[in-house]
Amino acid sequence: MKKLRNIIIIFSSTILLNCCTTNQTGEVDDEKENSGGESTQLEYSSEYQHNLNVIYFIPSNRSPNPDYHLRLSKILLNGQNFFNSWMKHWGYGDRSFGILKNQDKKLIKIINIYGKYPNTYYPYEGGHSNIKKEIDAYFSDNPEERTSEHYLVISAVNTIDPNEVQNSDVPFYGIGGRWAYALDYPGMSIENLGASGTTGFEATKWIGGLLHELGHGLNLPHCGEKVSEKNNPSFGTSLMGGGNYTYGKTPTFLEHSSCAILNNGQLFTKTPKSFYTPNATAKILNINADSDNTNINISGTFQSNIPVTDITFYNRPENNTGGYTAMTWVGKPSNNNTFSIEMPLDEFREKGNLNYEFSIILHHENGMNTWSSYGYKFENDLPIINFGDRDEFDKSNWQIIDFSSEEISGEGSINGKAINLIDGDIETYWHSRWTNNLTNYPHHFTIDTNNSLHASGFSIAQRNGARKIKNFKIEISNNNTDWEPIYNGTLANVPGKQYIKLPETTSFRYFKFTAKSSYDQLEFAALAEIGVFKD
């Protein structure tokens, strides 16, 4: 059954066609008609269970732009059709994001909220939090108006000069997978997409940018396109890559991995269903990884408390922190929670000598997504795979017998302590001391394995967060007195396990790990786990 939202508009007999009204209470703003002073009931409906909350935010020193309701309606209905076409293309059916609209007038429901302060109170850096407080207050007073957990907030910018729009200093990004922030300027029109010169360029940048940020507000991460997609005129540029500069001008598309996420999203369902609760608890139980001259091959098993519908295999080059050029493949899990994928090397746009972060993303049917990350690299255009399960020695009798420092309070009740390095859980971590008597590089710890190990190498897991270690060395000993340097190297700047292969199999009881520098160039160090493997 369609959901209806009824808005009563009182018209004056002197109002012109297509004029818009606003008010201080955040009521929905509708196009007016010359109705002779009679009230007209405008109905908004949707076939979806949940719909995008669209907010037009006007700082106290700005005003709504002319015809914004009609222009933004056209833009978002165009975007809805775009999302729909790619959902169908990738096999997810005739669906898009839900949005309340009036079919007769082709208008979407927009809620106006007037800011309490001038625009300088809502800057690009951090201004979203001040806007969000006022929006939350509105929905607290009007809970019936909230139609989902997803929000698109469009700030009014009262200039059409491209340089002034570019420097308008308003939030323009996605936050937390639920909130997207964009802007509206006078004349921002869907009709200008594809136009020549500055007019067309600005339309693509800001309309494409709005839909790109909306993607983030629908849980989408950045991702680029594979070689075959880039060269295919039916695909072109991924919206969640550089598509904010191509939308409406040159071919632009939604990646399969983006649609796999949207498939389980709250706004994409037409039937009753619960979303985002309970939290998904999932992990990769084992993973096998190798490469040949043709493919990178990945397989393994996982466990999860929430069923998984699709799995994305996400490859982010280390030189692209945001993931705009990340290449993705999508597979289906088998009935016994196994997975496998072949990723052809000729589909990678960047190889050479480059580190990659590789992530397996489990897409859960309640809209949650869980990531497990690893690292590998290309050397001379060929992949060097240094992750995948190894036969590791049992650590139950290991002891941390020395460390330069540990953080016992600032990282919570569990994290920070050195013992986390050998607890078998890569979600916990050791952190150098910082709350009291800050310690500087180098940082170290020493482990007694309580046995003589005949080892092939070390497994090292960076923390899934900040303070990743860059350069390090490992020394070994059989008596905790005489030490032999065995390895100097650089860890990849990615979470998850990395495997350090020794030049030859070596026997030892004790080993000392020394962190020599960090990726963030600060004095703090953190590490999740360390182990030793054998062939």
Side-chain angles (χ1 to χ4, degrees), residues 27-72:
E27 292 179 3
V28 178
D29 181 50
D30 293 303
E31 299 295 321
K32 286 189 173 181
E33 296 179 347
N34 189 346
S35 59
E38 297 178 357
S39 64
T40 301
Q41 189 177 66
L42 192 62
E43 293 184 344
Y44 289 93
S45 65
S46 171
E47 60 186 318
Y48 292 87
Q49 289 291 309
H50 303 276
N51 297 282
L52 181 66
N53 300 294
V54 183
I55 295 99
Y56 196 68
F57 188 81
I58 309 104
S60 63
N61 62 333
R62 289 180 175 167
S63 58
N65 291 316
D67 300 324
Y68 76 92
H69 194 176
L70 181 60
R71 290 185 293 99
L72 293 177

Side-chain angles (χ1 to χ4, degrees), residues 2 14 81 91 111 116 126-127 150 159 220 242 332 364 373 376 417 424 443:
K2 293 185 177 180
T14 59
N81 290 335
I111 296 175
K116 298 178 180 179
H150 295 270
T159 179
L220 300 186
K332 293 282 188 182
H364 303 275
S373 297
Y376 69 93
K417 302 174 181 64
H443 302 280

Side-chain angles (χ1 to χ4, degrees), residues 109-136:
K109 179 179 176 179
I110 299 177
I111 296 175
N112 278 8
I113 295 182
Y114 278 71
K116 298 178 180 179
Y117 306 98
N119 65 290
T120 53
Y121 188 70
Y122 314 103
Y124 178 87
E125 294 291 345
H128 70 278
S129 60
N130 291 333
I131 293 176
K132 184 177 182 297
K133 288 176 184 177
E134 297 186 36
I135 292 173
D136 286 342

Side-chain angles (χ1 to χ4, degrees), residues 110-176:
I110 299 177
I111 296 175
N112 278 8
I113 295 182
Y114 278 71
K116 298 178 180 179
Y117 306 98
N119 65 290
T120 53
Y121 188 70
Y122 314 103
Y124 178 87
E125 294 291 345
H128 70 278
S129 60
N130 291 333
I131 293 176
K132 184 177 182 297
K133 288 176 184 177
E134 297 186 36
I135 292 173
D136 286 342
Y138 169 77
F139 282 118
S140 178
D141 293 337
N142 303 274
E144 74 284 355
E145 293 296 325
R146 192 194 310 266
T147 57
S148 73
E149 298 177 49
H150 295 270
Y151 305 81
L152 173 61
V153 183
I154 303 171
S155 294
V157 174
N158 299 146
T159 179
I160 198 169
D161 182 282
N163 293 322
E164 292 298 323
V165 175
Q166 181 66 43
N167 298 321
S168 57
D169 195 28
V170 298
F172 203 99
Y173 38 72
I175 292 287

